[in-house]
Amino acid sequence: MNAWVLLVLAGIGEIGWPLGFKLAETTGHRFPWIVFSVLSMSVSGGLLFLAQKSIPMGTAYAVWTGIGAAGAFMVGVMLFGDLLNLGRLLGLGMIVGGVVVLKTLGAS
């Protein structure tokens, strides 16, 4: 499988663990959501490991965390009513922009 596909899947998996922790905190069902978080971390880290075989480590890590951060931000806004304002959108745009630059200008 293409390393970039693996990296995007790893980034999506990176969204799962803060989501699981938030659900463990808010639903009263701590154990299943903590297990979900640990599994999400494990899958995400494993996919990052595989992606780094072909993508430089710094690029892979920055893209992985960028996808996770932007995705967790959007999940927070959509599911938990987290604040969405111009400043936060600007920050999100800078994260996404950085990921795009790393992908298009920086790696294989």
Side-chain angles (χ1 to χ4, degrees), residues 30-53:
R30 287 182 186 244
F31 183 74
W33 289 114
I34 290 172
V35 169
F36 173 81
S37 291
V38 170
L39 290 173
S40 179
M41 286 179 209
S42 299
V43 169
S44 180
L47 291 170
L48 174 64
F49 170 78
L50 295 173
Q52 285 185 149
K53 290 181 179 184

